């Protein structure tokens, strides 16, 4: 009998020897397996983690119209000396007298010629950049002849003024007033101060502040750095507005798209369902102003070259909350919302909703092709409602592809029921969600290899590896998670004849305002960065190709053998063959790539690699590109190429055809 220590040595040596044996991977460039949909890789936006107000929507003032449940939340009253609290220089009264969409405004009564002020804290502070111009605006009226004018200041965290301007309102009817403030310093935690000068009364509403460097310089637009990160992904589609906010905790708080279009001052604020959803991250100041509404979502999709994919309520509140149902015979308003949305997006300007689109500045149709019915619903009640929606939508426009829901889990009784029912209904696309440990993603890289090729197509609508556990605040966007997602995505790509769409979720998170982790892109008031997961998504999307090829090892798909996962595509538009490959081993792996077929290749190409020695490594505001793509050149000879895969790495090989 061998000594125990020797047995261990022999086993370990044998294991190392197996993994060290070079692989031979073969791609036949003449055998196209299927098309790759232009929508294959996209993005999923939901207003969670302060992704809209306080994030993508560049408005810097919180509770700008005094419509929060606590009307002065985000605002603070004080005298000219912020430390003087003994005298009352003025009063702010909240008046309810506006229209249904924006019923409240603030009445400012000043008792002295100076000394009274209001300040707004923004969203965990106001991010201000030196020499940047900021566009201030307010609606104001003066119900009495005697009224104060006011000075508008940006102040830093120490109350030092870092930019100011003045406004002198007049007249007893509402009028807009605008001014520009140039910042003299950079400050992440600034606030906006309104100092009232004079004695009298002035009413104010819709107090607003936007940076001048919004995306495409649009007034009242989107935060440019966040949109740029999306545009850099070259997404094939954009799903919006969620997510669970589509459903609402109850039907009354569901997302209603018609309330998010038209002029901004007519958009009715709503509480965000993530306001009190999680006890570990309460956000009592989380509301939706809908400054970022359905028109802006369509416009953003167009800007970044993505197909718009709106998701609509099907008359079912979130089943994890109240599960409130609209009776089946009372679905007409919900269905009409879907039909009117098609008209808003695609209808002629002579139609009622096409006219609204034109009045908002977009005469041409948005060319809507997809609509989602419900977000994450399940059970017979969902199937019953889906049938009614599907019939009405197809009658309105048979070309619209409908995305249906397989429920919140990727397996189990609820999933099996939905999958069976939706297949029998010949639904267009089924939305499946996956939140699980990295091990699940590695294991399920072959999930779609044996799916019914004649059934509905798949939308991998929400996925993210969880480093600790689903809904756990300790989750990290670490390299282990990103690498497992890359392995899973090779399986999605390998089955591009079945999988038509895929998107990571959630998309954005404010560093001080998040409710859910992990998230693809993190930001604070001044900065933003992509996680390792972001770079995985970006590489797949930037190199999605047009046609699927097979990558074989001993005539088998490469899906976990020896810890290696791979997929390949042909890109006819750029005349390239692209292989994506994951090495989940802690050691380097070597091999040879054979490119069979009649096609000839240029002698040089490139390889783009993401890797890290430590699976717990993350990107951060301090080191935003700690894990980021690195390019290297490579050489081919007679359509053959040796390769060396770094430990725990994801690589994209880009080979140019002659």
């Amino acid at each position: 009998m061998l000594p125990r220590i020797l047995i261990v040595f022999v086993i370990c040596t044998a294991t190392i020897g197996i993994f060290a044996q070079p692989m031979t991977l073969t791609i036949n460039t003449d055998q196209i397996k299927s098309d790759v949909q232009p929508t294959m890789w996209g993005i999923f936006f939901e207003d969670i983690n302060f992704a809209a107000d306080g994030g993508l929507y560049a408005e810097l003032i919180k509770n700008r119209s005094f419509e929060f449940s606590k009307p002065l939340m985000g605002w603070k009253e004080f005298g000219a000396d912020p430390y003087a609290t003994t005298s009352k220089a003025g009063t702010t009264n909240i008046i309810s007298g506006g229209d249904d969409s924006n019923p409240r405004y603030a009445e400012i009564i000043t008792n002295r010629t100076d000394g009274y002020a209001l300040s707004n804290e923004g969203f965990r502070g106001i991010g201000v950049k030196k020499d940047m111009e900021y566009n201030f605006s307010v609606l104001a009226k003066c119900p009495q002849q005697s009224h104060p004018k006011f000075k508008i200041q940006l102040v830093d965290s120490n109350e030092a003024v870092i930019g100011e301007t003045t406004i002198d309102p007049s007249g007893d009817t509402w009028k807009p007033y605008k001014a520009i403030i140039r910042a003299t310093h950079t400050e992440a935690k600034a606030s906006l101060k309104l100092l009232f000068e004079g004695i009298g009364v002035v009413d104010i509403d819709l107090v607003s502040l936007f940076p001048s460097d919004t995306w495409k310089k649009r007034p009242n637009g989107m935060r440019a750095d966040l949109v740029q990160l999306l545009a850099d992904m070259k997404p094939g589609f954009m799903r919006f507005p969620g997510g669970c906010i589509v459903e609402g905790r109850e039907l009354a708080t569901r997302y209603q798209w018609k309330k998010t279009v038209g002029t901004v001052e007519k958009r009715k604020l709503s509480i965000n369902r993530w306001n009190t959803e999680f006890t570990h991250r309460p956000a009592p100041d989380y509301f939706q102003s809908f400054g970022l509404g359905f028109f802006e979502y369509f416009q953003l999709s167009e800007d970044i070259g993505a197909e718009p994919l709106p998701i609509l309520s099907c008359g079912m509140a979130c089943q994890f909350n109240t599960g409130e149902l609209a009776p089946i015979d009372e679905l007409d308003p919900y269905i009409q919302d879907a039909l009117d949305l098609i008209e808003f997006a695609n209808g002629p300007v002579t139609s009622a909703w096409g006219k609204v689109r034109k009045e908002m500045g977009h005469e041409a149709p948005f060319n809507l092709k997809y609509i989602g019915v419900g977000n994450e619903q399940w059970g017979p009640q969902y199937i019953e409602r889906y049938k009614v929606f599907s019939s009405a939508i197809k009658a309105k426009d048979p070309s619209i592809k409908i995305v249906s829901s397989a429920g919140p889990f990727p397996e189990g009784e609820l999933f099996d029921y939905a999958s069976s029912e939706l297949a029998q209904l010949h639904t267009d696309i089924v939305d499946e969600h996956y939140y699980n440990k990295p091990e699940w993603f590695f294991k399920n890289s072959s999930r779609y290899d044996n799916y019914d090729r004649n059934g509905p197509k798949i939308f991998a609508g929400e996925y993210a590896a969880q480093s600790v556990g689903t809904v756990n605040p300790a989750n990290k966007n670490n390299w282990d998670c990103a690498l497992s997602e890359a392995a899973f995505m090779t399986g999605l790509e390998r089955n591009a004849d079945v999988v038509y769409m895929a998107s990571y979720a959630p998309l954005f998170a404010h560093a001080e305002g998040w409710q859910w982790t992990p998230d693809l892109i993190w930001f604070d008031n001044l900065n933003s960065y992509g996680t390792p997961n972001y770079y995985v998504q970006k590489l797949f999307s930037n190199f999605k190709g047009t046609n699927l090829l097979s990558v074989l090892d001993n005539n088998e798909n490469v899906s976990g053998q020896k810890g290696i996962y791979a997929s390949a595509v042909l890109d006819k538009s750029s005349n390239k063959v692209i292989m994506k490959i994951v090495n989940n081993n802690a050691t380097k792996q070597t091999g040879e790539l054979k490119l069979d077929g009649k096609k000839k290749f240029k002698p040089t190409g490139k390889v783009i690699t993401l890797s890290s020695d430590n699976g717990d490594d993350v990107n951060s505001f301090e080191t935003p590109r700690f894990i980021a793509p690195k390019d290297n050149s490579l050489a081919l000879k007679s359509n053959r190429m040796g390769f060396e895969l770094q430990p725990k790495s994801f690589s994209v090989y880009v080979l140019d055809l002659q």
Side-chain angles (χ1 to χ4, degrees), residues 159-474:
E159 294 292 326
V161 176
I162 57 174
E164 67 179 12
T165 189
T166 59
I167 281 178
D168 186 5
S170 62
D172 60 359
T173 58
W174 288 108
K175 287 186 283 188
Y177 296 87
K178 298 180 180 180
I180 294 174
I181 307 174
R182 181 181 291 275
T184 58
H185 294 81
T186 295
E187 171 64 49
K189 297 285 188 178
S191 58
L192 182 82
K193 183 183 289 185
L194 308 180
L195 295 98
F196 299 93
E197 301 176 340
I199 297 174
V201 179
V202 61
D203 299 334
I204 62 173
D205 199 3
L206 202 66
V207 183
S208 177
L209 187 71
F210 276 86
S212 60
D213 68 337
T214 55
W215 174 254
K216 291 185 176 291
K217 305 295 183 182
R218 289 194 181 109
N220 306 333
M222 299 190 203
R223 185 168 150 175
D225 62 324
L226 298 185
V227 178
Q228 190 63 58
L229 284 165
L230 302 184
D232 289 346
M233 293 176 71
K234 300 179 181 177
F237 68 88
M238 177 173 157
R239 171 184 165 190
F240 58 86
C244 294
I245 63 166
V246 170
E247 308 158 349
R249 296 177 65 89
E250 55 284 307
L251 290 176
T253 57
R254 72 188 186 279
Y255 196 102
Q256 300 181 61
W257 75 266
K258 291 176 181 175
K259 295 182 178 181
T260 77
V261 297
T263 59
V264 170
E265 60 267 23
K266 295 294 185 181
R267 302 183 192 183
K268 188 174 183 179
L269 179 133
S270 176
I271 191 169
N272 191 299
R273 67 154 299 157
W274 302 109
N275 183 299
T276 56
E277 186 72 14
F278 298 126
T279 56
H280 65 262
R281 295 289 296 184
D285 58 341
Y286 200 177
F287 290 76
Q288 294 176 283
S289 72
F290 298 116
L292 179 58
F294 257 48
F295 177 84
E296 289 78 17
Y297 287 130
F298 277 109
Q299 188 176 56
L300 175 58
S301 299
E302 185 176 74
D303 285 350
I304 61 178
E307 295 287 352
L309 172 53
I311 310 296
L312 300 181
S313 168
C314 64
M316 300 179 73
C318 179
Q319 288 162 281
F320 288 113
N321 295 135
T322 65
E324 182 186 358
L325 295 171
I328 199 73
D329 59 354
E330 296 179 15
L331 283 179
D332 284 353
Y334 297 84
I335 294 168
Q336 194 61 48
D337 278 353
L339 304 183
D340 289 344
L341 180 62
I342 296 171
E343 183 175 283
F344 175 76
N346 295 348
V349 296
T350 53
S351 65
W353 286 102
K355 181 182 178 183
V356 174
R357 183 189 71 240
K358 178 185 177 181
E359 290 172 348
M360 295 187 72
H362 202 284
E363 185 169 348
F366 281 116
N367 195 26
L368 175 68
K369 300 174 184 174
Y370 304 90
I371 279 184
V373 174
N375 166 55
E376 210 172 48
Q377 274 71 43
W378 65 79
Q381 294 161 325
Y382 171 70
I383 298 299
E384 184 181 24
R385 283 158 178 76
Y386 167 79
K387 291 177 183 178
V388 181
F389 272 84
S390 177
S391 176
I393 291 170
K394 292 296 186 181
K396 171 80 171 181
D397 186 346
S399 70
I400 296 288
K401 299 294 184 185
I402 300 177
V403 175
S404 54
S405 168
F409 309 116
E411 57 256 322
E413 184 178 347
L414 296 177
F415 176 84
D416 293 341
Y417 171 79
S419 298
S420 174
E421 291 291 320
L422 293 170
Q424 292 179 47
L425 292 171
H426 303 289
T427 187
D428 297 317
I429 304 172
V430 178
D431 181 11
E432 300 184 1
H433 295 177
Y434 335 87
Y435 294 106
N436 221 311
K437 301 280 282 183
E439 294 78 11
W440 185 94
F441 286 89
F442 284 118
K443 181 180 178 181
N444 280 272
S445 66
S446 58
R447 176 182 176 91
Y448 296 105
D449 289 359
N450 298 311
Y451 252 54
D452 181 3
R453 266 44 199 171
N454 298 314
K457 303 308 178 185
I458 300 300
F459 173 28
E462 297 183 30
Y463 59 87
Q466 313 288 293
S467 64
V468 180
T470 307
V471 199
N472 192 307

